[in-house]
């Protein structure tokens, strides 16, 4: 036997499954990763007592200023992220909610993901050395470059490794520092031909850069919009698409010129 319900009662009953769904979602793990600004590292300096960049087979020069590669810190691939975590992060400028697949695209176990990230870093270092030596017209066979940076994975430090090698070997090309004595930070992948690629998490990396004293941030041009979204006061954005762009912009800045802006 069917009983006709009043409209208010019908709406109330319809709301029960919806509320139940939200209740479940609030506690169920979601396929997201939470990220925040991570550490930065000066590639012209040392890491755990060792130079980040060591060069043999060619004279090097002392450097001033800083070239800071930037990172983000993300929850692990197996971490449970709830709806409450996601909502909280949406309302904070120092947090980001990212699809888990965008941070850990390979899947697999934690150890497999760590190995993948370390492999990416190793390839990025090799590409950075090749890109820097190609830019300077030097052959890898006569110059031996070793890069050391512990506890960092992924390819996003490639651009800054290349810039660090150039600064140690050639500076600004006219006897001065490529940095002009500034604290320069940034991010970007690098290819052997010098092309710079996007990396993700840029708005968090700008915060890490400014926190650690940077006044200039080199950003892949394709990510200018994201970088401007939460740009800290006192940090200047310079877009780059190639290693040559990056070097040229830093030289222009050192001459008190006006490099490109986002």
């Amino acid at each position: 036997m069917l009983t006709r319900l009043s409209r208010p009662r019908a709406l109330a009953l319809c709301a029960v499954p919806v509320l139940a769904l939200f209740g479940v979602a609030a506690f169920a793990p979601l396929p997201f990763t939470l990220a925040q600004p991570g550490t930065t590292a000066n590639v012209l300096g040392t890491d755990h007592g060792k130079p980040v960049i060591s060069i043999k087979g060619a004279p090097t020069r002392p450097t001033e200023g800083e070239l800071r590669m930037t990172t983000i810190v993300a929850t692990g691939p197996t971490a449970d992220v709830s709806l409450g975590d996601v909502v909280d992060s949406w309302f904070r400028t120092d947090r980001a909610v990212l699809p888990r697949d965008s941070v850990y695209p390979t899947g697999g176990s934690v150890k497999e993901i760590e190995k993948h990230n370390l492999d990416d870093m190793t390839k990025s270092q090799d590409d950075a050395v090749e890109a820097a030596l190609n830019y300077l017209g030097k052959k890898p066979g006569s110059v031996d470059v070793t890069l050391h940076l512990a506890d960092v994975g992924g390819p996003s430090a490639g651009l800054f490794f290349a810039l660090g090698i150039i600064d140690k070997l050639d500076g600004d090309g006219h006897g001065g520092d490529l940095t002009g004595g500034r604290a320069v930070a940034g991010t970007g992948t690098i290819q052997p031909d010098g092309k710079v690629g996007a990396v993700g998490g840029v708005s968090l990396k700008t915060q890490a850069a400014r926190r650690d004293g940077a006044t200039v941030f080199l950003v892949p041009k394709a990510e200018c919009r994201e970088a401007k979204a939460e740009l800290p006061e006192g940090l200047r954005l310079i877009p780059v698409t190639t290693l040559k762009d990056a070097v040229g912009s830093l030289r222009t800045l050192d001459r008190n010129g006006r490099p490109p802006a986002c």
Side-chain angles (χ1 to χ4, degrees), residues 5-23:
L5 299 177
S6 65
R7 181 177 178 82
R9 187 178 178 191
L11 290 175
L13 289 175
C14 289
V16 171
V18 176
L19 291 174
L21 179 61
F22 276 105

Side-chain angles (χ1 to χ4, degrees), residues 56 95 98 105 113 168 176 225 253:
K56 297 179 181 179
R95 297 287 189 276
L98 305 172
I113 291 171
K168 281 182 171 287
R225 185 173 181 177
L253 195 62

Side-chain angles (χ1 to χ4, degrees), residues 62-192:
T63 58
E64 294 185 6
E66 299 176 350
L67 286 170
R68 288 196 166 271
M69 54 79 63
T70 55
T71 68
I72 62 171
V73 177
T75 52
T78 60
D80 289 340
V81 176
S82 69
L83 180 61
D85 296 326
V86 171
V87 172
D88 177 65
S89 297
W90 273 339
F91 288 96
R92 298 180 59 168
T93 59
D94 63 341
R95 297 287 189 276
V97 180
L98 305 172
R100 186 171 293 166
D101 289 347
S102 71
V103 180
Y104 304 108
T106 60
S109 67
V110 173
K111 287 187 177 180
E112 288 171 339
I113 291 171
E114 288 177 350
K115 182 180 183 303
H116 175 79
N117 286 340
L118 290 175
D119 288 345
D120 275 353
M121 171 62 94
T122 299
K123 185 178 186 306
S124 174
Q125 291 176 346
D126 292 342
D127 289 346
V129 172
E130 190 172 350
L133 296 182
N134 284 341
Y135 175 85
L136 295 172
K138 296 182 180 292
K139 295 182 178 180
S142 59
V143 180
D144 181 23
V145 181
T146 302
L147 302 176
H148 170 81
L149 191 58
D151 304 324
V152 176
S156 66
L159 170 62
F160 271 66
F161 281 137
L163 290 173
I165 295 166
I166 292 171
D167 201 10
K168 281 182 171 287
L169 287 172
D170 194 49
D172 65 357
H174 302 284
D177 291 295
L178 186 58
T179 62
R182 298 176 177 82
V184 178
T187 190
T189 64
I190 195 76
Q191 295 181 21

